[in-house]
Amino acid sequence: MMLTLPTTAQLERSLSLLLRRGVDVSTQPVATRCRFAAAGSYHGGDKTPLAWMAADLPLAAHMAAALSLVPADAADDRVRAGSLDQTLCENFAEVLNVGARLMVRDDAGRLTLLQTGFGDAAAALLPPAGARMRRALFQVEIDGYGEGLLGLWGVA
């Protein structure tokens, strides 16, 4: 079983529909250093992680805020504070839930959100650096909100 990660155009379209605003996406070198502040893992039914999605703090805050029309200033405040509040964590968890549809299994099976992690728990949730995975890193800019990095991993 192998996963296909979305293209920039697919990611742009999906996030624009979810957040109900313009989104620009560009690929970044996978080796770009990033501290992910929010992450989710996905499984295919047997609780074995098959895919992961993670965002740095600015992107997680702005995606979560845009999802429920929380003002961008509130997201900026949380970025300055260094962590998401409970409301933004819950909103980003919903972004992660919808994110299961971004990655496609070659066996046509469905992915489901398995676990979420925020702060230090986000890094612990991600696959090890040396694991054999498909990886992609994107710069995502949300119109009227902000930008940041989004990472995707899937079994190869």
Side-chain angles (χ1 to χ4, degrees), residues 4-114:
T4 301
L5 302 180
T7 65
T8 55
Q10 291 167 330
L11 192 56
E12 235 173 51
R13 184 175 186 284
S14 294
L15 292 178
S16 291
L17 289 170
L18 174 64
L19 302 175
R20 298 174 314 277
R21 50 184 56 251
V23 174
D24 290 318
V25 176
S26 61
T27 57
Q28 300 294 300
V30 176
T32 301
R33 294 185 74 59
C34 178
R35 183 163 187 259
F36 292 109
S41 63
Y42 303 90
H43 70 103
D46 66 357
K47 306 294 185 198
T48 301
L50 299 173
W52 296 261
M53 183 168 106
D56 65 5
L57 181 59
L59 185 60
H62 288 108
M63 287 178 94
L67 181 68
S68 61
L69 303 176
V70 170
D73 291 346
D76 293 334
D77 290 345
R78 295 313 312 162
V79 172
R80 282 190 291 279
S83 65
L84 301 177
D85 62 16
Q86 185 63 34
T87 299
L88 292 182
C89 284
E90 289 172 6
N91 289 353
F92 193 74
E94 184 56 28
V95 171
L96 290 168
N97 189 39
V98 173
R101 285 144 190 86
L102 293 173
M103 294 159 276
V104 179
R105 292 174 55 166
D106 65 351
D107 64 359
R110 181 181 170 153
L111 292 176
T112 303
L113 184 62
L114 175 63

Side-chain angles (χ1 to χ4, degrees), residues 127-147:
R132 189 168 171 257
M133 298 273 160
R134 292 179 181 266
R135 302 166 194 261
L137 186 65
F138 301 95
Q139 177 75 26
V140 178
E141 184 176 350
I142 305 163
D143 187 37
Y145 278 84
E147 64 184 9

